[in-house]
Amino acid sequence: MRVLSYSRFGKPDEVLNLAETRRPEPGPGEVRLRMRLSPIHNHDLITIAGNYGYRPPLPAIGGSEGFGVIEQLGEGVSGLAPGQRVAVSGLKGAWAEDVVARAASLVPLPDAVDDETAAQLIAMPLSALTLLEFTGIQPGGWLVQNAATGAVAKVLAQLARVRGVHVVNLVRRTEAVAELEALGIGNVVVTAGDWKKEVAALTGGAPVAVAVDGVGGAASGDLLSVLGERGQLIAFGAMSGQPMQISAGEMIFKQAVVKGFWLGKMMETMPPEEMRRLVGELVARAASGEMRLQTDAVFAMADAADAMRAAAESGRKGKVLLRLGD
């Protein structure tokens, strides 16, 4: 079978190669999938570069999530059948024509969930839903997030809406307003000019309970400045590459709380029934159309270098996907 693998860490478009290896056989409790589509996440690119919290032994196959069809069941697997469409995440080596995964990790899909949505259904949406619940924000509350065109931010805004939570979405580009509105996401504010005044007008003076920071640097302090008393500033990402810059005075007088969020760490202690509940909601929201996931482009395995470069570009409207297998 064909795989996209790398034998040294570096720029993904330079170190990733199309190679052939033996097809894996499922062991007890495992299933072999014929992969169809897989997204290129930022953490996939960072892993290949050698800069993620996890460094795989080399040579390694890239990718961590995808959509496929069950080919073969391992010993002791029940409740699944060959030919069944499933989504899977948390893989170490998704960019392959065939993969082996734990049967318990597979998410069966209804026909109402299309293939491109299925391929990116779990990792980013699960981060968004878990983050939303992590904040403890209640219906009617206000949340402000920056980097609002990111994959997680778009899903968070959609899921918050159906739960009755108000979200203000901060963007840098004027064109991003229409991009988010096309997904039914409102309250979009461009961070040029007096944007904090615009945020106050949208909230009608109601306190902002939560601010989600995906940028870091000076943007962290900007979010803290619009946060209400006893509000939470959640560190989710660091797109700027800079340390958070926040005012000690505002922290003190607002009695604000700063928290870090990392889904990978939370999943280490998350009970299985809780995971099933969250993933079940994601499948239901996708099937009903209440959660829409965008695709920017789809590349063949042979065009992996172009795919990696496209995934690293800013200003994309959706995920870049790899088409695996036939």
Side-chain angles (χ1 to χ4, degrees):
M1 68 170 187
R2 296 181 304 165
V3 301
L4 291 172
S5 65
Y6 54 104
S7 56
R8 61 185 174 90
F9 296 112
K11 293 182 63 176
D13 61 312
E14 295 178 357
V15 302
L16 205 62
N17 295 294
L18 186 60
E20 290 191 357
T21 188
R22 293 176 64 105
R23 173 191 273 184
E25 295 297 328
E30 295 180 335
V31 170
R32 186 172 70 217
L33 305 177
R34 185 67 169 176
M35 295 296 284
R36 293 291 185 246
L37 292 169
S38 177
I40 304 173
H41 294 306
N42 286 339
H43 63 255
D44 296 322
L45 300 176
I46 296 170
T47 299
I48 296 170
N51 297 324
Y52 197 55
Y54 162 75
R55 286 170 65 98
L58 300 178
I61 299 172
S64 55
E65 180 179 19
F67 151 73
V69 176
I70 294 176
E71 265 195 337
Q72 182 180 345
L73 305 179
E75 181 183 347
V77 175
S78 60
L80 297 169
Q84 192 170 7
R85 301 169 69 245
V86 294
V88 62
S89 187
L91 290 173
K92 292 180 174 65
W95 297 344
E97 290 182 315
D98 295 276
V99 303
V100 163
R102 293 182 302 106
S105 70
L106 303 182
V107 180
L109 300 167
D111 292 339
V113 178
D114 66 84
D115 293 356
E116 292 185 4
T117 297
Q120 52 184 312
L121 180 63
I122 303 176
M124 297 298 106
L126 184 59
S127 286
L129 182 54
T130 308
L131 173 57
L132 188 60
E133 295 200 350
F134 175 79
T135 69
I137 194 167
Q138 298 299 306
W142 282 92
L143 180 151
V144 174
Q145 61 175 349
N146 57 22
T149 55
V152 171
K154 286 177 178 177
V155 175
L156 187 148
Q158 294 177 73
L159 295 177
R161 181 181 63 231
V162 298
R163 289 182 169 211
V165 173
H166 306 297
V167 179
V168 176
N169 300 282
L170 304 181
V171 298
R172 293 181 300 171
R173 300 176 291 113
T174 302
E175 316 87 78
V177 176
E179 178 184 333
L180 293 180
E181 288 179 345
L183 289 171
I185 298 172
N187 295 334
V188 185
V189 176
V190 181
T191 54
D194 195 0
W195 64 269
K196 295 178 184 180
K197 190 173 183 179
E198 191 173 347
V199 170
L202 284 172
T203 63
V208 174
V210 176
V212 178
D213 180 21
V215 179
S220 305
D222 288 335
L223 285 180
L224 178 60
S225 70
V226 300
L227 197 62
E229 188 173 340
R230 298 182 184 276
Q232 299 179 69
L233 175 61
I234 309 294
F236 173 72
M239 290 175 56
S240 69
Q242 300 297 315
M244 298 177 74
Q245 300 170 23
I246 56 179
S247 162
E250 287 197 286
M251 284 292 299
I252 293 167
F253 298 123
K254 288 185 175 181
Q255 300 181 71
V257 175
V258 178
K259 294 181 179 180
F261 175 85
W262 184 21
L263 179 63
K265 180 62 65 174
M266 294 187 66
M267 288 179 65
E268 292 177 2
T269 56
M270 185 180 292
E273 59 273 17
E274 181 72 358
M275 176 67 74
R276 286 192 293 270
R277 178 184 67 82
L278 293 170
V279 172
E281 177 171 347
L282 295 176
V283 173
R285 300 294 187 197
S288 68
E290 293 171 306
M291 181 183 74
R292 294 161 57 195
L293 308 179
Q294 295 172 303
T295 299
D296 192 79
V298 181
F299 289 81
M301 295 178 78
D303 299 321
D306 291 336
M308 298 303 126
R309 286 189 286 268
E313 290 179 358
S314 59
R316 287 183 291 101
K317 293 184 179 181
K319 281 290 177 185
V320 174
L321 304 182
L322 286 167
R323 186 173 302 283
L324 308 168
D326 301 328

